[in-house]
Structures are given as C-alpha cells and as structure tokens.
Amino acid sequence: MMFVGAGLQFLIMLASGHIVSESRTLSAKNKAVAILFALFSGFLFQWIGVYVSVFMLLGSFAILYTSERDALRVLGGISYGALGMLLLDPVITLLATPFFPFGSQTLMFVYLVFLALCSLMFSLGMRRLKQHIRRKRNLDDRLKRMIVYLGAMLVVVYYLCIYLSAYIGETIELIQLNLFFFAVYLLIAFAAFFVYSQSLRKSYEVKQKEAEYSTMQRYTDELERQYTEIRKFRHDHQNILSSLDAFIQEEDFDGLKRYYREKLKRTSEHLESNNFKLENLSRIKVKEVKSLVAAKLIRAQELGIDATFEAKEEIGVIAADSVVLVRALGILLDNAIEELQQIRRGSMTVGMIQDRKAVHIIVQNDCRDDLPRVHKLKEAGFSTKGSNRGLGLANLTELIGQLPNAVSETVVEPGVFKQILVINHI
Amino acid sequence: MLSVLICEDDPKQRERLEKIVADYIMIEALDMELTLSADNPIEVLTYLEEHPKTTGLYFLDVDLKHEMSGIALASEIRERDDSGKIVFVTTHGELSYLTFIYKVEAMDYIVKDQPEEIERRVRECIQVAQKRHLNEGGPQQKRFKVKVGEKTRSIDHRDIMFFESSPVPHKIVLHMDNSQLEFYGSIKELEEVGESFYRCHKSFVVNRDNIKSIDRAKREIEMVNEEVCLVSIRALKAFR
C-alpha cells in the first residue's frame, strides 16, 4: 500500500505541476518516463521513507522541463502544485482519522483518493487564479520571479517540517501542529509578498513620475525654441512685406519675381522643417501620454528620423489605465523607431483622432519590404531581432488585453507598418 | 455618372480648379459633370440634400474660412454619400495626412504650395476616381461590416481568412491576408456571416474559400496566407 501511495503521490505532484504551469500535453516518451519514475519512487520509499520526496520533486521538474524548456514557469507550477498537496495532506489526514483508525489500510486508501481529487481541483483553481491575475494586472518579470521563488521556498520549508516530524515520529498531534505551522508560514509569506509588491509599485510610480518630469522639461525647452523661431519668423515676415511693398511701389515686377523665387520660397521650405512637426502635441491634454509621445518623438528626431505628430482635435481624456497605456504606447513607438533605425530611411507618423465614441491612436512607419507576415510577428517570443530581445507584438497584445474597452488593428502594406489602437470612451 | 463638386473659399483658386476639371472632362470626354462649385460648405450639403442619389468626387479646401472646416464637411459628406471620393486641397501647414486618410477615408490630397503640380494632381485624381467608380458599378461584392469606434469598417469577404475568439472576453480577432483587426462580438453570431463561413472549432470561424490545405493528423487548417487555424475532430468530418 505504501508502495502504491508513494508512486501515486509522485503522479499527483507531476499532474499538479503540469496543470499549474499550463504545460502542453506530455509526449508518449515523457509519459513512460513518468510511470517508470513513479514505480521507482514507490521502491525508493521503502528504503528511505519520506525523504523520497526530494527525488519526486527533482523528477517532476526534470520531466516538465524537458517538455517545456522554461525553468521559471515549471518551477512555479511544481511549487504551487506541491503546495496544494502539502496543505491538503494534513487536512485530509485529520478529517479522516475520526472515521478510520490511524495507520490502517482503509485510511490510507481513502486518504489517497481524496488527496488525488482535491489536489487536482486545487491545481485547477490555481491555474484559474493565475489566468485571472494575468488578465487583470500586468506582472513584470521581477514580480513573477518573486512569486515563483516564494512558492519554492514555502515548499522547502514545508518539507523540512515534514522531515522533522518524520524524524521525531509521526503522531496526530504533530500533524496538527504541522498544519498550524503551514498555515502561519503561508500567511506570513503572502503578507511579505504583498508588502513587497506594493513597494515595488510605489517605486515604479516614482520612477515614472521622474521620467515624466524630465521629458516635460525637454518638451518645454523644445517649445521655447519653437517660440523663438516663430518670433524670428514674424520679424522676417514684416521685412518681407515691406520689401514687397517697395517692389510694388517702384513697379519693379522682374525684381518682385526674383525676390519671390529666391527669398519667399526658401522661407516656406523652412516652415516644413522639423521644428513644427510636433506642434500638435499641445493638443494632447493627458499629461502622461503627452510626455511619453514627446519624449519618444524628440528622441527619434535627434536620431535623424523624420517624425511627425498629428492631432486635429483636442484629446482631453483617454479612458484607459495610464500605466498600461503608457507601456503599450512605449512599445509601439520604440518598435517604430527601431525599425527606422535599422532600415536607415523613411519616416514615422503618430496620430490621435477623436470621434464621438473613441480615441484612435495610430502609429505608422516605413518598414523593410521583407517584413515577416503579421501572424508571424504576433507569435509569442517573436522579435525581428532574434529571440528574447525586444518586446514583441505578442506582449503588446497581452497588455492591450488588460484594457477591456480597447481594440487594436495591425496592418502591413508593402513597405508600411501600421498599428492602430482604438480606445472607446466609457 | 460621377458628379464633381468643388468647395473652395478663395475665388481665384476656385476658378482655377473649375477650369482644370472642366477642361479635363471635355478633352477626355469623360462620363462626368462638374455639378457644383461652392465657396461655403453649407451649399454643398444643401445640394446633397436636394440630390440624395449623388455619387461625387469632391475637391475640398481644408480651411474654408467658415465655422465648418473642410474635414468636418468631409465627415458630413460621408454620411450622405458613402461611396463618394474625397480629395483635400490644402497648404502644407494644414496637411493632416492621418486625419484625411483614416478619419474620412479621403481618396487623396493635393498640396497647393506647389502651383505647378496642381493641374497634374487634379487630373490624376479624376482618373483614379473614374476608374474606381466604374469598378464599383460591377456586381456587388459581399462585405462584412463592423463598427470600430464611430467608424464602420466594411471588409470584402474574399479578404477574410478566419475569425478567432480572443482570450479576452467579448473580443474577436479578424485575420486577413496581412492584417489583423480586433472588434467586439461573439464567435457564435459570426457563423451567419455568409455561406462560406464555417465554425470549425470552439474559437474559430473559417472562410472555406481561403483554405489552402487541411492537416488531419495535426487538426489544423492552413490558409492561403500560410496562417494556421485549428479544427475540432467533430468539425473535421465536414471537410472532405
């Protein structure tokens, strides 16, 4: 019975880890390895007792890792899967002992059945929770790692407790005490985690504010420069008018023609220069968005990219969580700038268009002719610069997914890449 | 027949446009007529009220010295004549490319800072408008209509690969040859889009006309654009 129990525990552990980590179906070979390993665990249990759990943990990690190749996700899955099992183990034991004699075969049987069922249910719940959190909030990598390590640490501590009680000799009192400790550890761990994530968010917000402040500063400088430019132009304008007047007074039309071609045409060319390409920015009244777009476009211009911003109406509100929106826009603009830097030509245009129902944000840039197709670009982990570099469109899709009132459109036309974000008013 | 309508507040420039348009129609003997040349937007809208069946080619100045700008006028025209072709005539400073193309789906724009270019560009626009107008006269293609913001997008069925329900509730992703469009809806109601559309999976409705091949072992459908969508065992039977 003990032999079966240990083997089954391994399978439960593997299945829970598999469920929580959202792994793909195991290959036949991996399934065979898992069964063999379960038998092995059963045998080993008779030799070394509960310490076999070390091998079980390592075994499930190895099996899932060979199929997934994502250590963090697998570690997280196994930790939180095992955590469920570890918590349920004393609970089931304690609930079952009043009905069946402690240490009997029937107890063992009932225990195993319930453990299997409850653990799998717990894991399914865990997976639901994970998906829910992912949809609701954007977790950055640091936080994800923190959650995984926290789970792994808890599992280690729990097992240490179990080894200790196994060493002393297992009694009902000890199991109760263990359960109590488990619960307390869990609470402390989550409280600590909550505090940490809170402070992380704070520090992120502070950083964001600082960045916003410094770009606002640059934006103001830019405005001042433009203002000077306009003043100069106004001065020129006066001069031009008086010289025109002089030509007309003297009825010197040849002179006038020459003057028009040589002087006036040049002035109008000047008006097309970079200086006025971002003036529409003043129509964005959403501060975070304005500062982000200004920062990215000014940087683009400094890199020698022809960047224009266009908004004909005032953009007063954008109904979206500003952290998510700023991150999404940041990715869009960075992608455009990177592409233009790579192809060393072309221009980008960013526009915000308002209608009665929504704000449409358009980012359009020239791109290489052999750009991969849209569905390739949207695959997770895909980047035009090789794997795991840059933030791909998949991340963007995930980010936008958090905004229930926003939809996106991606269009590739020969030589032009266009991404549109439509944020409906609420 | 395509009607040409001009709205430009500056009399000199209006006259010039009129002449270019009238001459070109006459020289090429096009089936077109210059029906209105106005100096304010209200006149254009009144004309459209009186002649609701008009399909027009509109040359609009952006700055009309009127409380209604050329862009606002274009939006109004769109509501009355949705297959009309709109061309903006503008100075470089007023050029608002994305608004022209995206908001009012303008056909083109002409920059008047280069006077020597205007005539050539106007002629080009007339040619393109005529060509499009003639194409539209043919058999009506089936189109899928969807609202994005205030705008209605109309997409030719032939361009649709498949619909996929997004992991985000109530959102659908429309996959086309080389673009993807999200909108609000449910996958269930999309089965009814047309007879070539088939619900091949819990979260996919595929356009049978654009299928390239079916991999029965992997239970995948490859589309003509090399994109892949899933097919359930039950739905697989429908493909022979």
Side-chain angles (χ1 to χ4, degrees), chain B residues 14-167:
Chain B
R14 189 171 66 242
E15 231 167 78
R16 184 148 177 225
L17 272 175
E18 280 169 28
K19 190 170 153 33
I20 297 173
V21 171
D23 286 356
Y24 191 64
I25 292 177
M26 201 174 67
I27 294 169
E28 299 284 312
L30 294 170
D31 182 23
M32 259 191 209
E33 194 188 354
L34 177 60
T35 47
L36 182 77
S37 181
D39 65 352
N40 73 76
I42 304 301
E43 220 174 302
V44 178
L45 294 179
T46 326
Y47 178 87
L48 288 178
E49 291 298 320
E50 286 162 8
H51 303 83
K53 287 231 154 60
T54 309
T55 306
L57 163 60
Y58 304 84
F59 290 96
L60 308 177
D61 185 15
V62 172
D63 180 12
L64 291 166
K65 303 280 180 302
H66 188 278
E67 60 189 29
M68 184 184 269
S69 74
I71 294 173
L73 172 62
S75 302
E76 295 289 328
I77 291 173
R78 265 275 162 270
E79 285 181 15
R80 292 164 172 79
D81 173 11
D82 66 349
S83 56
K85 323 276 175 287
I86 294 170
V87 176
F88 285 108
V89 184
T90 177
T91 58
H92 198 96
E94 295 162 11
L95 185 66
S96 35
Y97 171 76
L98 291 176
T99 310
F100 291 170
I101 303 297
Y102 189 76
K103 188 165 186 178
V104 287
E105 288 162 80
M107 192 185 85
D108 208 342
Y109 57 90
I110 297 173
V111 180
K112 49 179 159 179
D113 302 25
Q114 294 143 328
E116 59 281 1
E117 284 283 289
I118 292 180
E119 180 159 357
R120 189 178 62 79
R121 298 279 292 122
V122 170
R123 290 176 169 205
E124 257 174 32
C125 288
I126 294 176
Q127 276 172 17
V128 174
Q130 176 74 351
K131 213 155 133 203
R132 286 198 195 168
H133 181 61
L134 291 178
N135 283 342
E136 280 160 13
Q140 275 289 305
Q141 284 310 324
K142 290 186 190 130
R143 300 187 83 84
F144 172 69
K145 295 215 164 103
V146 62
K147 272 246 181 239
V148 179
E150 200 184 37
K151 244 172 68 164
T152 303
R153 295 282 303 270
S154 150
I155 295 149
D156 191 335
H157 280 189
R158 289 174 299 184
D159 296 335
I160 298 175
M161 297 295 141
F162 56 84
F163 297 97
E164 179 189 8
S165 66
S166 146

Side-chain angles (χ1 to χ4, degrees), chain A residues 355-395:
Chain A
D355 64 27
R356 271 165 285 193
K357 296 235 173 80
V359 175
H360 305 243
I361 302 176
I362 305 165
V363 177
Q364 181 174 327
N365 61 277
D366 293 310
C367 66
R368 65 196 98 155
D369 294 323
D370 60 342
L371 197 73
R373 305 188 71 85
V374 170
H375 60 92
K376 277 265 177 272
L377 293 173
K378 289 226 171 191
E379 267 168 28
F382 184 90
S383 160
T384 49
K385 293 176 274 62
S387 63
N388 293 327
R389 282 188 54 202
L391 285 160
L393 280 179
N395 290 55

Side-chain angles (χ1 to χ4, degrees), chain A residues 215-229:
Chain A
T215 56
M216 270 326 212
Q217 197 59 45
R218 278 172 84 184
Y219 179 63
T220 328
D221 294 347
E222 189 66 29
L223 278 185
E224 259 164 40
R225 229 189 54 213
Q226 287 190 16
Y227 187 69
T228 332
E229 203 87 26

Side-chain angles (χ1 to χ4, degrees), chain B residues 169-188:
Chain B
H170 315 302
K171 281 190 200 170
I172 304 287
V173 186
L174 164 54
H175 294 250
M176 284 164 280
D177 173 35
N178 207 1
S179 65
Q180 292 184 7
L181 171 69
E182 271 181 341
F183 62 92
Y184 296 102
S186 77
I187 198 86
K188 200 161 177 338

Side-chain angles (χ1 to χ4, degrees), chain A residues 170-391:
Chain A
E170 215 164 34
T171 62
I172 283 286
E173 289 76 25
L174 213 53
I175 294 179
Q176 281 172 339
L177 196 65
N178 255 347
L179 180 60
F180 174 69
F181 277 144
F182 282 5
V184 173
Y185 288 151
L186 198 65
L187 282 180
I188 293 177
F190 279 102
F193 171 71
F194 184 71
V195 171
Y196 175 74
S197 78
Q198 225 44 6
S199 80
L200 207 65
R201 198 175 167 88
K202 275 264 160 56
S203 79
Y204 179 72
E205 273 167 14
V206 168
K207 240 196 254 159
Q208 196 78 0
K209 277 265 144 33
E210 274 169 16
E212 202 176 287
Y213 177 76
S214 80
T215 56
M216 270 326 212
Q217 197 59 45
R218 278 172 84 184
Y219 179 63
T220 328
D221 294 347
E222 189 66 29
L223 278 185
E224 259 164 40
R225 229 189 54 213
Q226 287 190 16
Y227 187 69
T228 332
E229 203 87 26
I230 290 169
R231 220 168 33 204
K232 248 185 348 212
F233 179 72
R234 200 159 62 189
H235 176 78
D236 284 352
H237 186 70
Q238 289 298 337
N239 283 342
I240 289 166
L241 281 185
S242 42
S243 6
L244 282 181
D245 198 51
F247 281 120
I248 291 167
Q249 293 269 323
E250 290 164 25
E251 299 195 359
D252 174 9
F253 290 110
D254 288 334
L256 184 61
K257 260 189 204 157
R258 213 175 326 113
Y259 183 72
Y260 172 75
R261 283 202 199 108
E262 284 167 13
K263 272 266 163 72
L264 290 188
K265 281 234 154 160
R266 278 235 297 284
T267 329
S268 82
E269 272 161 27
H270 171 77
L271 278 176
E272 289 171 27
S273 71
N274 261 347
N275 290 333
F276 299 101
K277 289 197 167 163
L278 302 181
E279 63 177 342
N280 281 183
L281 275 173
S282 64
R283 296 213 172 95
I284 311 180
K285 300 298 177 200
V286 187
K287 230 172 54 193
E288 313 84 274
V289 175
K290 187 212 285 253
S291 79
L292 176 89
V293 178
K296 297 285 181 200
L297 292 186
I298 292 172
R299 189 170 79 89
Q301 290 192 342
E302 283 165 0
L303 291 167
I305 293 168
D306 175 13
T308 313
F309 179 77
E310 179 185 318
K312 292 294 136 186
E313 298 102 333
E314 206 163 87
I315 308 292
V317 267
I318 302 179
D321 177 71
S322 66
V323 175
V324 178
L325 180 65
V326 163
R327 280 196 61 186
L329 268 179
I331 294 175
L332 276 179
L333 295 169
D334 282 339
N335 283 352
I337 294 171
E338 269 165 31
E339 180 67 20
L340 289 167
Q341 263 184 301
Q342 262 186 12
I343 61 172
R344 293 161 191 278
R345 62 173 167 82
S347 60
M348 68 188 281
T349 311
V350 180
M352 295 200 186
I353 293 172
Q354 170 123 10
D355 64 27
R356 271 165 285 193
K357 296 235 173 80
V359 175
H360 305 243
I361 302 176
I362 305 165
V363 177
Q364 181 174 327
N365 61 277
D366 293 310
C367 66
R368 65 196 98 155
D369 294 323
D370 60 342
L371 197 73
R373 305 188 71 85
V374 170
H375 60 92
K376 277 265 177 272
L377 293 173
K378 289 226 171 191
E379 267 168 28
F382 184 90
S383 160
T384 49
K385 293 176 274 62
S387 63
N388 293 327
R389 282 188 54 202
L391 285 160

